[in-house]
Amino acid sequence: MKVSYYGHSCFGVEINGRHLLFDPFISENPLASDIDVDRIPADYILVSHGHYDHIADVKRIAKRTGATVISNFEITTWLEKEGVEKVHPMNIGGQWAFDFGKVKYVNAVHSSALPDGSNGGNPGGFVIDTPQCAFYHAGDTALSMDMQLIGRQCDLCLAFLPIGDNFTMGIDDAVQASSFLKCNHVIPMHYDTFELIRVDHDEAVRKFRNAEVELKFMEIGETREM
Ligand code: NI
Ligand code: MN
Protein backbone atom coordinates (compact mmCIF):
# COMPACT_ATOMS: atom_id res chain seq x y z
CA MET A 1 0.00 0.00 0.00
CA LYS A 2 1.33 3.41 -1.02
CA VAL A 3 0.25 6.64 0.67
CA SER A 4 0.75 10.08 -0.93
CA TYR A 5 0.07 13.34 0.89
CA TYR A 6 -1.40 16.29 -1.03
CA GLY A 7 -1.90 18.62 1.95
CA HIS A 8 -4.65 19.29 4.50
CA SER A 9 -6.81 16.12 4.67
CA CYS A 10 -6.07 14.95 1.14
CA PHE A 11 -4.31 11.61 0.68
CA GLY A 12 -3.89 9.26 -2.23
CA VAL A 13 -3.83 5.58 -1.27
CA GLU A 14 -2.80 2.98 -3.82
CA ILE A 15 -4.08 -0.43 -2.82
CA ASN A 16 -4.91 -3.60 -4.78
CA GLY A 17 -4.07 -1.80 -8.00
CA ARG A 18 -6.60 0.98 -7.37
CA HIS A 19 -6.01 4.65 -6.62
CA LEU A 20 -8.16 6.05 -3.83
CA LEU A 21 -8.16 9.80 -3.24
CA PHE A 22 -9.52 11.33 -0.04
CA ASP A 23 -10.89 14.87 0.38
CA PRO A 24 -9.15 16.71 -2.47
CA PHE A 25 -8.40 20.34 -1.55
CA ILE A 26 -5.32 21.29 -3.54
CA SER A 27 -5.81 24.14 -6.03
CA GLU A 28 -7.09 26.44 -3.25
CA ASN A 29 -4.50 25.34 -0.68
CA PRO A 30 -1.44 27.65 -0.78
CA LEU A 31 0.66 25.02 1.05
CA ALA A 32 0.02 22.59 -1.84
CA SER A 33 0.98 24.97 -4.66
CA ASP A 34 3.68 22.52 -5.88
CA ILE A 35 1.09 19.78 -6.47
CA ASP A 36 -0.30 19.49 -10.00
CA VAL A 37 -3.99 18.68 -9.50
CA ASP A 38 -4.23 17.51 -13.09
CA ARG A 39 -1.70 14.71 -12.60
CA ILE A 40 -3.15 13.07 -9.50
CA PRO A 41 -4.44 9.57 -10.28
CA ALA A 42 -7.87 8.51 -9.01
CA ASP A 43 -10.16 5.54 -9.55
CA TYR A 44 -12.25 6.48 -6.51
CA ILE A 45 -12.63 9.83 -4.73
CA LEU A 46 -13.87 9.58 -1.15
CA VAL A 47 -15.45 12.73 0.27
CA SER A 48 -15.95 12.85 4.05
CA HIS A 49 -18.26 15.90 4.15
CA GLY A 50 -19.36 18.96 2.21
CA HIS A 51 -16.97 21.69 3.39
CA TYR A 52 -14.91 23.35 0.66
CA ASP A 53 -11.61 22.30 2.21
CA HIS A 54 -12.58 18.67 1.47
CA ILE A 55 -14.47 18.95 -1.80
CA ALA A 56 -12.87 21.84 -3.74
CA ASP A 57 -11.15 19.72 -6.43
CA VAL A 58 -13.59 16.80 -6.61
CA LYS A 59 -15.35 17.89 -9.81
CA ARG A 60 -12.12 18.72 -11.63
CA ILE A 61 -10.40 15.42 -10.78
CA ALA A 62 -13.54 13.30 -11.32
CA LYS A 63 -14.06 14.85 -14.75
CA ARG A 64 -10.48 14.15 -15.87
CA THR A 65 -10.12 10.65 -14.40
CA GLY A 66 -13.69 9.33 -14.61
CA ALA A 67 -13.32 8.30 -10.96
CA THR A 68 -16.30 7.14 -8.92
CA VAL A 69 -17.08 9.52 -6.06
CA ILE A 70 -18.02 7.85 -2.78
CA SER A 71 -19.75 10.02 -0.20
CA ASN A 72 -23.04 10.44 1.62
CA PHE A 73 -26.30 10.53 -0.37
CA GLU A 74 -26.75 14.32 -0.19
CA ILE A 75 -23.22 15.04 -1.44
CA THR A 76 -23.30 12.49 -4.29
CA THR A 77 -26.71 13.84 -5.39
CA TRP A 78 -25.32 17.40 -5.38
CA LEU A 79 -22.21 16.33 -7.32
CA GLU A 80 -24.37 14.61 -9.96
CA LYS A 81 -26.24 17.89 -10.46
CA GLU A 82 -22.81 19.55 -10.83
CA GLY A 83 -21.96 17.14 -13.64
CA VAL A 84 -20.05 14.34 -11.89
CA GLU A 85 -21.04 11.16 -13.73
CA LYS A 86 -20.00 8.27 -11.51
CA VAL A 87 -21.03 8.31 -7.88
CA HIS A 88 -21.68 5.80 -5.13
CA PRO A 89 -24.02 7.12 -2.41
CA MET A 90 -23.71 5.82 1.15
CA ASN A 91 -24.90 6.81 4.57
CA ILE A 92 -23.69 6.45 8.14
CA GLY A 93 -23.16 2.85 9.27
CA GLY A 94 -23.42 1.38 5.78
CA GLN A 95 -20.75 -0.75 4.15
CA TRP A 96 -20.17 -1.72 0.53
CA ALA A 97 -17.67 -4.10 -1.08
CA PHE A 98 -15.75 -2.35 -3.87
CA ASP A 99 -13.13 -4.00 -6.09
CA PHE A 100 -10.29 -2.80 -3.79
CA GLY A 101 -11.96 -3.71 -0.47
CA LYS A 102 -14.86 -2.86 1.78
CA VAL A 103 -15.77 0.72 2.67
CA LYS A 104 -17.82 1.66 5.72
CA TYR A 105 -19.05 5.25 6.07
CA VAL A 106 -18.85 5.98 9.78
CA ASN A 107 -19.98 8.72 12.10
CA ALA A 108 -18.12 12.01 12.45
CA VAL A 109 -19.07 14.74 14.91
CA HIS A 110 -18.93 17.88 12.77
CA SER A 111 -21.11 19.71 10.17
CA SER A 112 -21.36 19.36 6.38
CA ALA A 113 -22.92 22.27 4.46
CA LEU A 114 -21.87 22.34 0.78
CA PRO A 115 -20.04 25.36 -0.72
CA ASP A 116 -23.26 26.86 -2.17
CA GLY A 117 -25.14 26.38 1.11
CA SER A 118 -26.89 23.16 0.03
CA ASN A 119 -27.50 20.48 2.61
CA GLY A 120 -24.44 18.24 2.74
CA GLY A 121 -26.09 15.55 4.87
CA ASN A 122 -24.27 14.22 7.89
CA PRO A 123 -20.46 14.34 7.98
CA GLY A 124 -18.59 11.05 8.09
CA GLY A 125 -15.33 9.21 7.95
CA PHE A 126 -14.28 6.03 6.13
CA VAL A 127 -13.10 2.65 7.34
CA ILE A 128 -11.44 0.80 4.46
CA ASP A 129 -11.04 -2.92 4.99
CA THR A 130 -8.71 -4.84 2.67
CA PRO A 131 -6.81 -8.11 3.10
CA GLN A 132 -3.48 -6.24 3.45
CA CYS A 133 -4.58 -3.48 5.81
CA ALA A 134 -7.65 -1.94 7.37
CA PHE A 135 -7.39 1.81 7.76
CA TYR A 136 -9.51 4.77 8.85
CA HIS A 137 -9.77 8.29 7.41
CA ALA A 138 -11.65 10.22 10.09
CA GLY A 139 -12.64 13.26 8.02
CA ASP A 140 -13.28 16.26 10.26
CA THR A 141 -14.45 15.13 13.66
CA ALA A 142 -14.40 15.63 17.38
CA LEU A 143 -13.21 12.80 19.58
CA SER A 144 -16.16 10.48 20.09
CA MET A 145 -16.92 7.29 21.96
CA ASP A 146 -18.09 5.82 18.63
CA MET A 147 -14.41 5.39 17.75
CA GLN A 148 -14.35 2.53 20.24
CA LEU A 149 -16.72 0.63 17.93
CA ILE A 150 -14.19 0.88 15.10
CA GLY A 151 -11.46 -0.40 17.43
CA ARG A 152 -13.66 -3.36 18.41
CA GLN A 153 -14.74 -4.26 14.88
CA CYS A 154 -11.50 -3.74 12.97
CA ASP A 155 -7.82 -4.42 13.39
CA LEU A 156 -6.58 -1.10 12.02
CA CYS A 157 -3.03 -0.86 10.70
CA LEU A 158 -3.27 2.90 10.13
CA ALA A 159 -5.46 5.89 10.97
CA PHE A 160 -5.57 9.35 9.38
CA LEU A 161 -6.66 11.67 12.20
CA PRO A 162 -7.21 15.44 12.37
CA ILE A 163 -5.00 17.10 14.99
CA GLY A 164 -5.41 20.82 14.22
CA ASP A 165 -7.92 21.64 16.98
CA ASN A 166 -10.44 24.54 16.75
CA PHE A 167 -12.55 22.93 13.95
CA THR A 168 -11.80 19.29 14.89
CA MET A 169 -10.14 17.38 17.67
CA GLY A 170 -6.70 18.57 18.69
CA ILE A 171 -3.56 16.65 19.64
CA ASP A 172 -4.66 15.43 23.08
CA ASP A 173 -8.02 14.20 21.84
CA ALA A 174 -6.39 12.56 18.81
CA VAL A 175 -4.10 10.63 21.19
CA GLN A 176 -7.22 9.46 23.02
CA ALA A 177 -8.82 8.58 19.66
CA SER A 178 -5.88 6.34 18.73
CA SER A 179 -6.42 4.48 21.99
CA PHE A 180 -10.18 4.09 21.31
CA LEU A 181 -9.30 2.86 17.80
CA LYS A 182 -6.59 0.51 19.14
CA CYS A 183 -4.34 1.83 16.40
CA ASN A 184 -0.68 2.65 17.02
CA HIS A 185 0.17 4.12 13.60
CA VAL A 186 -1.30 7.54 12.95
CA ILE A 187 -0.82 9.99 10.07
CA PRO A 188 -1.96 13.48 11.09
CA MET A 189 -4.11 15.74 8.93
CA HIS A 190 -6.10 19.00 9.08
CA TYR A 191 -3.27 21.06 10.62
CA ASP A 192 -1.20 24.14 9.61
CA THR A 193 -3.31 24.97 6.51
CA PHE A 194 -4.99 27.92 8.27
CA GLU A 195 -3.86 30.19 11.11
CA LEU A 196 -6.50 28.66 13.40
CA ILE A 197 -5.12 25.12 13.06
CA ARG A 198 -1.34 25.61 13.46
CA VAL A 199 0.24 22.91 15.59
CA ASP A 200 3.60 22.27 17.22
CA HIS A 201 4.86 19.15 15.41
CA ASP A 202 7.39 18.16 18.10
CA GLU A 203 4.78 18.43 20.81
CA ALA A 204 2.41 16.26 18.77
CA VAL A 205 5.01 13.54 18.14
CA ARG A 206 6.01 13.56 21.82
CA LYS A 207 2.45 13.28 23.11
CA PHE A 208 1.68 10.37 20.79
CA ARG A 209 4.98 8.68 21.67
CA ASN A 210 4.08 8.92 25.38
CA ALA A 211 0.98 6.90 24.50
CA GLU A 212 3.12 4.42 22.51
CA VAL A 213 1.65 5.55 19.22
CA GLU A 214 3.79 6.39 16.22
CA LEU A 215 2.72 9.72 14.68
CA LYS A 216 4.13 10.08 11.17
CA PHE A 217 4.01 13.60 9.73
CA MET A 218 4.17 13.51 5.94
CA GLU A 219 5.57 16.21 3.68
CA ILE A 220 3.17 17.58 1.08
CA GLY A 221 4.05 15.78 -2.15
CA GLU A 222 5.63 12.84 -0.33
CA THR A 223 4.75 9.23 -1.14
CA ARG A 224 5.45 6.43 1.31
CA GLU A 225 5.21 2.68 1.14
CA MET A 226 3.33 1.44 4.24
NI1 NI B 1 -15.14 20.54 7.86
MN1 MN C 1 -12.15 20.83 7.25
Side-chain angles (χ1 to χ4, degrees), residues 6 10 21 23-29 32 35-38 40 45 47 51-65 69 79 84:
Y6 301 117
C10 181
L21 183 68
D23 285 358
F25 170 65
I26 298 144
S27 58
E28 294 178 37
N29 178 2
I35 305 291
D36 184 351
V37 184
D38 297 321
I40 294 175
I45 303 171
V47 181
H51 291 157
Y52 79 101
D53 59 320
H54 300 259
I55 206 169
D57 291 309
V58 170
K59 273 187 274 176
R60 178 168 168 180
I61 297 170
K63 195 171 179 193
R64 173 178 54 83
T65 59
V69 179
L79 286 168
V84 172

Side-chain angles (χ1 to χ4, degrees), residues 49 51 53-54 110-111 140 190:
H49 65 294
H51 291 157
D53 59 320
H54 300 259
H110 194 64
S111 56
D140 280 3
H190 217 271

Side-chain angles (χ1 to χ4, degrees), residues 6 35 41 49 66 75 84 105 116-117 159 164 169 211 219:
Y6 301 117
I35 305 291
H49 65 294
I75 290 173
V84 172
Y105 189 59
D116 65 359
M169 56 189 176
E219 299 291 331

Side-chain angles (χ1 to χ4, degrees), residues 91-106:
N91 216 327
I92 304 291
Q95 190 180 53
W96 183 259
F98 292 87
D99 58 0
F100 56 87
K102 290 183 204 155
V103 174
K104 192 170 191 181
Y105 189 59
V106 297

Side-chain angles (χ1 to χ4, degrees), residues 17 38 45 48-49 51 56-57 74 127-128 139 175 183 201 205 216:
D38 297 321
I45 303 171
S48 65
H49 65 294
H51 291 157
D57 291 309
E74 287 80 3
V127 176
I128 315 293
V175 169
C183 181
H201 294 210
V205 169
K216 300 175 186 169

